[in-house]
Amino acid sequence: MTDKNKQDPRLPDETFEPYEEPRRIPMPVYWIAIALAIWGVVMLVQMSYSTKIGDKERASMSDQEVAATTPVKAEPKPDAGKALFADNCASCHGDAGEGVADAIPPLHASDVVKAGGASAITHIVMRGIGGPLIVDKANYDGEMPSFASVLDDKDIASIANFVASDLNGLKSTVTPAQVAEIRTASADLNPWDGGSGLAGLINGLPAQPASETAPAPSPDAAATAALAMHGTNEIWSCASCHGDKGEGTQTIPRLAGLAPAYLAKQLHDFKEGTRINDSMDYVVKSLSDKQIIELANYYGAMSSPSGARPSLEGDLARGEKIALEGDWTKNVPACFTCHGPSGIGVGDKFPGLAAQQPAYIAHQLAMWQGGSRHNSPLGLMAGIGKSLSDADRRAVADYLASLPPAAANAKLALAVSATTKETSNGQ
Amino acid sequence: MANKHPSDIPPPGPDNAERGQTALRAIYAISGGLALVVLGSLVVDFGWAPSWLTGQKSAPVAQVKGEKTDLFTPPDERTIPNDDFGASVRRGMAIFNQTGTNAHEFVGNDLSCSNCHLDAGRQAYSAPMWAAYPVYPKYRGKNKMVNTMEDRIHGCFTYSMNAQGSPSGGPPPYGSDVYRDLQAYFFWMSKGLPIGVQPEGAGFGKIDKPAKDPSRERGAEVFAANCAVCHGDDGMGQTDANGKQIFPPLWGPHSFNWGAGMHKVSSAAAFIQHNMPLSQPGKLSVQDAWDVAAFIDSKPRPKDPRQTDGISLQEADKKWHKSSADFYGETVDGVVLGTGYPKDAGASQSN
């Protein structure tokens, strides 16, 4: 293009309308614009292609599902009980109900089940059972959690019928309506007190050992309960955040049934600043060492129903796989190899995860990933937090929220006399 | 254009030369754009683009140095067929993971196969079963004969599972279903691997020689700092509230005996460096791994079952423990190692 200013040099300057030369857009801008346009078109085509594939897959999947379910139609799926057993009972009682030698009684060919039938199974699943028990002449002394807060009547009926018929060859069955009656009758009752507790329930129960005497409540129990529920002038009430039954909510954790030593360690970590949280940093400031132990024992001994439900839209099947098998390609062992079968916790250092609030779990895993929680022994959780994607964190948190809360374990209580020093704030 | 009325021609319109230039510019622009697209896709393809741009997460593979990552992936347990063969595979898997329950008669300690063969025998460098199955039968110097897979498992029960202390007093008799089901499980897991070729990931992997001779004193510190959280200060492992063994005992009456492969310091060091602490493979240095392996080896455990009546500890030491540098027959902290336990104290027989 020629310079237009020079076209008519006679025009007076005053009338000259200044205008900018239509300057050319630099070449690279065209390049980028065209590249973007091509990329856009490619993406569009790709996306519509993959949705098409996805649609096809979904269509064929639902075809398969229809094919798989049509023959059984109206009747409940015969495999429902089996699948529910695998999801809820197998992590302790074994895939085939074989139990674990010296730890968990078998459910296949169990003489307790044989004597009590589907109704006794329902009673046990509803309340849980703990304490000395003899099954098939072998001694057990464990703690089975109550499933009342995580399974509905229909599911419990399916499981009880599966255990009675498929694992023990019994004819006895329960209906969801009967399960509902047992639920009402069991409300607020403690777990069955071992084999001796079952004596009134099951006719012809094989001989059972005497129950253990419950440890006497600590003399300060009432004072500790008052502290937890109502707080004092300096100390906020724990229940105001953690709930009356220590069940937690959202990103505030469930405390009920966690090992006292674990709870006490966390409280000390907040106090020493090795674990950081604005609320808890403030709360622990005025707690004496003695109060920490008493509160830890108080919550550790508390059995309360689950206050958690899957709520993060996590993929439960994926969550179950991570919890039971892990994802070793990312160096994530099964969560239960450290946190115990069904997430009931192990000893003092590996807290229970069952029925923990899913938002809290996902949040803690994210904090380990980001490095803002770094108080786990050996940094064990830091590596695991880093290896899990956001979707995996939500999946496993939701799965754990679907599990029954572990029964409180009185044996883990801390000795209050172990207190070495009272802090200046101690009362 | 020539027929057009002059007023139709836009006055400032470009002349012919300009038009040619515009066309040229268009060609430049388009080819430049194309070149950019090609370049961009190349960059993404070769993985040179930063992950924040592509949105792809680079998999965090904790690499033990010098090892390959293209390892065999055994099939998912959900693909075990629902037929009689599958039932045997499932029984084998159950025996593998809860040996003391599902092969109760033949287990004389508190271990399961899966305590050392992690992830149900699937984890590379923790002697995965898919890497063993294709290379049997095989000649083994340990018993100087060709071993079938059944012979091999017989050996595992004899030593690693301390069968001498089991209810039956020995390993499963040859021909037992225990072997059948375990082999079905291994066979199912190895599907697709070539026969007779040792796959990458076999055994416990290699470990370099340590710079300094392994020291049980240094090892004690490594143990307290890295192992005791799970295995306990006393090495006895931990159980859950129901009494189920969660973390395995590393020594003492309920652990593997003096004939087990894991009692060799070199094997234990390789296993530890590649697998421990759980979820943090490669965390311990080569030296730390050797030191802590020596520390574990310097503790008492059930006796070597080959040392039967009439064979003294010294003879047994010479016969079976000379080639491997171990603590068998030595006196550590006033305890003569290798004598085992009296029957009432634990699983093993007295000596």
Side-chain angles (χ1 to χ4, degrees):
Chain A
M1 262 198 254
T2 47
D3 197 41
K4 277 161 193 155
N5 279 343
K6 285 178 188 161
Q7 264 183 348
D8 198 349
R10 285 161 302 169
L11 277 176
D13 271 355
E14 306 88 64
T15 58
F16 173 68
E17 281 242 23
Y19 67 93
E20 270 204 56
E21 183 198 359
R23 284 184 49 192
R24 284 178 183 152
I25 301 164
M27 204 40 103
V29 175
Y30 282 116
W31 292 346
I32 291 172
I34 289 174
L36 278 175
I38 297 175
W39 177 74
V41 171
V42 169
M43 288 313 274
L44 263 176
V45 171
Q46 243 181 19
M47 230 135 81
S48 65
Y49 182 64
S50 51
T51 28
K52 239 187 242 157
I53 293 185
D55 282 347
K56 240 195 224 156
E57 271 175 5
R58 251 171 293 166
S60 73
M61 287 259 271
S62 51
D63 280 355
Q64 278 173 11
E65 270 166 32
V66 170
T69 48
T70 27
V72 284
K73 255 199 179 154
E75 283 156 57
K77 272 201 280 169
D79 275 4
K82 188 177 185 185
L84 284 163
F85 177 86
D87 288 348
N88 293 286
C89 321
S91 72
C92 288
H93 287 283
D95 288 337
E98 71 274 24
V100 174
D102 303 324
I104 298 170
L107 288 181
H108 68 46
S110 145
D111 55 8
V112 171
V113 168
K114 285 223 159 86
S119 143
I121 299 168
T122 306
H123 277 285
I124 291 172
V125 169
M126 201 62 91
R127 280 170 62 177
I129 180 169
L133 172 72
I134 294 179
V135 179
D136 292 337
K137 302 196 175 67
N139 281 289
Y140 300 92
D141 186 1
E143 309 284 340
M144 166 167 156
S146 152
F147 283 78
S149 55
V150 295
L151 289 179
D152 63 20
D153 297 338
K154 208 171 101 266
D155 288 352
I156 293 182
S158 301
I159 294 174
N161 292 337
F162 170 78
V163 173
S165 64
D166 290 54
L167 299 185
N168 291 279
L170 301 176
K171 293 236 159 55
S172 94
T173 56
V174 288
T175 64
Q178 288 167 319
V179 174
E181 279 167 29
I182 295 174
R183 186 187 292 274
T184 318
S186 314
D188 298 327
L189 292 179
N190 286 331
W192 293 98
D193 187 6
S196 60
L198 295 176
L201 175 71
I202 302 173
N203 287 329
L205 184 75
Q208 292 295 330
S211 70
E212 285 160 346
T213 43
S218 124
D220 297 333
T224 309
L227 176 63
M229 294 302 290
H230 310 298
T232 65
N233 286 341
E234 306 100 274
I235 302 173
W236 289 353
S237 135
C238 315
S240 66
C241 289
H242 289 279
D244 286 355
K245 292 178 172 165
E247 72 277 26
T249 175
Q250 296 289 326
T251 54
I252 303 175
R254 175 188 179 88
L255 303 178
L258 293 181
Y262 171 78
L263 293 174
K265 172 182 178 271
Q266 300 305 313
L267 291 171
H268 282 294
D269 285 355
F270 285 124
K271 205 164 183 174
E272 278 143 33
T274 45
R275 182 173 172 186
I276 293 166
N277 173 269
D278 289 343
S279 307
M280 286 308 297
D281 291 349
Y282 182 81
V283 168
V284 293
K285 267 203 196 104
S286 10
L287 289 180
S288 70
D289 285 1
K290 181 160 174 278
Q291 282 169 326
I292 286 183
I293 291 185
E294 284 168 348
L295 285 166
N297 282 340
Y298 171 77
Y299 280 112
M302 187 183 265
S303 293
S304 60
S306 171
R309 288 290 173 277
S311 55
L312 307 178
E313 288 170 5
D315 174 349
L316 287 178
R318 170 73 183 155
E320 181 176 357
K321 191 170 162 74
I322 296 172
L324 289 164
E325 296 163 36
D327 185 345
W328 291 76
T329 58
K330 300 176 176 170
N331 278 322
V332 176
C335 310
F336 292 173
T337 50
C338 288
H339 289 281
S342 203
I344 59 171
V346 179
D348 288 346
K349 299 208 175 70
F350 300 87
L353 299 177
Q356 185 53 278
Q357 295 295 335
Y360 173 74
I361 292 184
H363 184 222
Q364 297 300 308
L365 290 169
M367 294 216 301
W368 272 304
Q369 179 179 46
S372 47
R373 181 169 176 185
H374 39 69
N375 67 330
S376 29
L378 287 189
L380 284 177
M381 282 310 298
I384 289 166
K386 285 197 179 83
S387 306
L388 292 176
S389 67
D390 173 63
D392 281 351
R393 290 199 290 263
R394 286 184 291 114
V396 74
D398 268 354
Y399 170 71
L400 294 167
S402 73
L403 299 174
N409 184 353
K411 288 171 206 150
L412 294 176
L414 297 169
V416 180
S417 56
T419 325
T420 43
K421 53 181 191 296
E422 290 268 315
T423 63
S424 49
N425 293 323
Q427 315 167 307
Chain B
M1 202 99 2
N3 315 348
K4 276 192 178 157
H5 192 270
S7 64
D8 283 353
I9 300 166
D15 58 28
N16 265 346
E18 276 177 6
R19 264 189 219 160
Q21 249 192 350
T22 315
L24 212 67
R25 278 175 61 84
I27 291 170
Y28 283 152
I30 290 173
S31 46
L34 275 174
L36 256 184
V37 170
V38 170
L39 208 82
S41 52
L42 276 179
V43 165
V44 173
D45 248 30
F46 280 88
W48 294 332
S51 58
W52 56 262
L53 236 175
T54 57
Q56 278 164 358
K57 254 194 151 179
S58 50
V61 256
Q63 286 239 23
V64 180
K65 67 172 173 345
E67 276 167 9
K68 289 191 203 160
T69 46
D70 51 343
L71 293 162
F72 174 71
T73 313
D76 192 280
E77 77 171 63
R78 282 160 194 72
T79 65
I80 298 175
N82 277 319
D83 52 16
D84 290 345
F85 172 70
S88 174
V89 172
R90 283 202 185 83
R91 285 194 300 271
M93 189 167 77
I95 294 171
F96 200 86
N97 292 334
Q98 279 300 325
T99 320
T101 299
N102 298 310
H104 185 71
E105 288 300 293
F106 314 111
V107 176
N109 59 22
D110 287 346
L111 300 182
S112 283
C113 310
S114 60
N115 283 138
C116 297
H117 308 278
L118 301 178
D119 189 17
R122 303 158 53 94
Q123 176 73 342
Y125 307 112
S126 77
M129 292 305 113
W130 49 260
Y133 192 82
V135 295
Y136 276 81
K138 148 177 168 181
Y139 180 83
R140 296 187 74 223
K142 185 167 180 172
N143 51 12
K144 298 194 178 54
M145 65 178 205
V146 171
N147 285 214
T148 62
M149 186 46 91
E150 183 163 312
D151 291 322
R152 185 67 182 85
I153 303 171
H154 185 273
C156 293
F157 273 98
T158 306
Y159 305 112
S160 300
M161 309 309 296
N162 193 38
Q164 60 187 338
S166 71
S168 78
Y174 282 106
S176 155
D177 278 348
V178 169
Y179 298 118
R180 195 165 286 120
D181 292 337
L182 281 170
Q183 291 187 78
Y185 177 52
F186 304 165
F187 167 78
W188 166 81
M189 189 193 286
S190 316
K191 184 172 176 179
L193 280 167
I195 291 290
V197 183
Q198 176 129 312
E200 182 62 32
F204 296 141
K206 291 191 179 61
I207 181 168
D208 295 336
K209 286 263 153 336
K212 292 175 267 185
D213 275 351
S215 139
R216 64 180 300 271
E217 287 76 22
R218 282 196 307 269
E221 285 164 32
V222 177
F223 183 86
N226 295 283
C227 320
V229 179
C230 294
H231 295 287
D233 295 330
D234 58 0
M236 296 298 124
Q238 287 188 61
T239 58
D240 68 11
N242 300 322
K244 180 179 177 182
Q245 195 74 40
I246 302 293
F247 300 110
L250 302 183
W251 64 80
H254 307 295
S255 190
F256 51 89
N257 68 37
W258 279 104
M262 196 57 96
H263 104 275
K264 279 163 61 182
V265 178
S266 55
S267 305
F271 171 81
I272 291 165
Q273 220 239 336
H274 294 167
N275 296 289
M276 292 288 133
L278 196 65
S279 80
Q280 302 175 330
K283 183 185 181 191
L284 297 185
S285 68
V286 169
Q287 186 69 50
D288 284 352
W290 281 92
D291 290 344
V292 77
F295 172 69
I296 293 168
D297 197 57
S298 72
K299 296 285 186 177
R301 57 182 64 263
K303 60 173 280 199
D304 189 332
R306 290 167 294 192
Q307 186 222 345
T308 43
D309 293 342
I311 303 177
S312 73
L313 198 63
Q314 288 68 30
E315 285 166 332
D317 192 13
K318 228 183 251 143
K319 208 161 170 198
W320 296 297
H321 295 265
K322 267 295 150 273
S323 57
S324 60
D326 64 18
F327 285 83
Y328 190 81
E330 290 181 27
T331 306
V332 176
D333 297 337
V335 178
V336 182
L337 296 173
T339 53
Y341 296 89
K343 212 167 178 114
D344 54 358
S348 183
Q349 64 216 47
S350 62
N351 179 35

